[in-house]
Amino acid sequence: MNTVSTPYPIGTPGTPWGDAERAEWLSRQTRQRSYEAEVLSVIEGLRSRFDMEEYGALDYGPDYYPLMAIRSRDWNNDLPVVLITGGVHGYETSGVHGALQFLDKHAAEYAGRVNLLVAPCVSPWAYERIHRWNPNTIDPNRSFHEGSPAEESAALMRLVAPVRDRALIHVDLHETTDTDETEFGPALAARDGKPFEPSGIPDGFYVVGDTENPQPEFQQALIRAVEQVTHIAAPDESGEILGSPMVARGVIEYPLTKWGLCAGITRAPYRTTTEVYPDSPRVTPGQCNTAQAAAVCAAIDYGLAARHA
């Protein structure tokens, strides 16, 4: 992909944004879909099978968003905890709907075997605006740390705190999209007063493991499951995906906790970030959702088998 030749339409190249630029950016954001109609209504439809918890709310006047989590109905403290998160970046649609699809179609298979804790749409304001940031131009997925400036991140950390040290598995569902290079990457560079350096968008599914606890067999179990649904991303000519070395087929690694990423908020031995590619002509939105659900199932299957080995 060629380097973007025109500067981002907000701000002065080389100068970080101030309040005026942030306000201009916010003024350009418009609601494009409904959290209530597309997410909360689906959650409500699951109420007969799961326990629901409002773990916080976002008051971005005039908009107000309840933050919802879904739990296993018969929670048993003797069972391992599985955390599933989606929609940390609101525009990454299959993360949200893949989590909900897992609950609807697959969660019953694990009843009595694990405790499920699912936050399907961590960033509802951004979900409605199909954006990466919250209204304060903050990326929630770099904000999972003490004193977080993102209420989306802080609320999720409060929810997870009681099971942080007991979780067995955490699957954080994401997407990599073409707009990462046409909009979100350039916006980030402009916000920070830096040049935009495109790295190309990988065509296909991949996962991000933890450099501190990579669990290569666990990551490969997800790749094997998902390739039954959609294709796996190949590395670029440098053997990398988005500037990171591909350490195994479809696998790269980040320092999850150091970077303040959602997948680093527990001490679960098995944790990963999924990355679906919805812009490929080879997939449909339904396949993307199914790929996310398949990754969750594979993660739980692997974790349970390893626990009982």
Side-chain angles (χ1 to χ4, degrees):
M1 187 175 292
N2 294 328
T3 303
V4 176
S5 58
T6 56
Y8 195 74
I10 297 172
T12 302
T15 302
W17 288 0
D19 290 345
E21 289 80 12
R22 294 174 190 272
E24 181 181 353
W25 174 85
L26 182 59
S27 73
R28 293 172 177 240
Q29 308 310 310
T30 60
R31 182 184 285 109
Q32 301 183 58
R33 56 189 178 183
S34 170
Y35 173 64
E36 182 175 4
E38 298 180 16
V39 180
L40 293 182
S41 66
V42 178
I43 293 173
E44 186 63 29
L46 298 169
R47 188 174 289 275
S48 65
R49 291 181 273 165
F50 301 92
D51 288 342
M52 305 294 169
E53 177 182 351
E54 183 174 331
Y55 66 92
L58 303 175
D59 189 359
Y60 290 138
D63 302 309
Y64 181 87
Y65 301 96
L67 296 169
M68 299 302 298
I70 301 107
R71 293 179 182 268
S72 297
R73 172 135 297 167
D74 298 316
W75 191 277
N76 180 345
N77 285 330
D78 293 330
L79 296 177
V81 174
V82 175
L83 175 63
I84 304 162
T85 47
V88 172
H89 292 140
Y91 71 105
E92 296 173 8
T93 306
S94 71
V96 177
H97 295 288
L100 294 170
Q101 181 170 312
F102 165 79
L103 286 168
D104 183 40
K105 297 185 180 298
H106 303 287
E109 302 166 23
Y110 302 102
R113 301 168 66 196
V114 300
N115 297 313
L116 295 172
L117 176 58
V118 182
C121 191
V122 174
S123 297
W125 183 91
Y127 177 87
E128 290 197 331
R129 287 151 184 85
I130 314 182
H131 213 284
R132 186 177 183 91
W133 294 339
N134 72 11
N136 300 315
T137 69
I138 295 172
D139 183 345
N141 206 34
R142 296 297 185 273
S143 304
F144 288 95
H145 53 74
E146 187 175 350
S148 175
E151 181 54 31
E152 296 87 349
S153 309
L156 185 66
M157 287 190 290
R158 289 193 295 269
L159 171 72
V160 171
V163 299
R164 178 173 179 262
D165 296 335
R166 297 195 297 114
L168 177 68
I169 297 161
H170 179 193
V171 185
D172 188 31
L173 305 174
H174 284 254
E175 293 181 342
T176 302
T177 71
D178 288 344
T179 50
D180 289 347
E181 291 231 321
T182 60
E183 169 59 28
F184 303 122
L188 173 63
R191 184 198 70 182
D192 295 344
K194 298 178 179 178
F196 174 59
E197 299 176 358
S199 56
I201 299 299
D203 182 354
F205 177 91
Y206 63 100
V207 294
V208 183
D210 188 359
T211 54
E212 304 303 315
N213 182 30
Q215 297 291 344
E217 290 302 318
F218 169 70
Q219 309 296 345
Q220 282 298 297
L222 274 65
I223 294 296
R224 288 192 297 269
V226 171
E227 70 179 338
Q228 307 303 314
V229 180
T230 186
H231 56 291
I232 305 304
D236 61 20
E237 61 275 8
S238 300
E240 298 178 336
I241 293 177
L242 296 179
S244 293
M246 194 175 77
V247 297
R249 182 167 176 256
V251 182
I252 61 174
E253 295 169 359
Y254 293 158
L256 300 179
T257 303
K258 179 180 178 181
W259 286 6
L261 302 178
C262 183
I265 63 174
T266 75
R267 293 199 174 104
Y270 303 112
R271 46 191 174 175
T272 192
T273 301
T274 67
E275 295 285 356
V276 170
Y277 179 55
D279 295 316
S280 173
R282 300 163 61 185
V283 301
T284 65
Q287 281 177 289
C288 293
N289 296 343
T290 298
Q292 301 279 28
V296 173
C297 291
I300 300 174
D301 292 342
Y302 184 95
L304 286 177
R307 186 169 181 260
H308 293 113

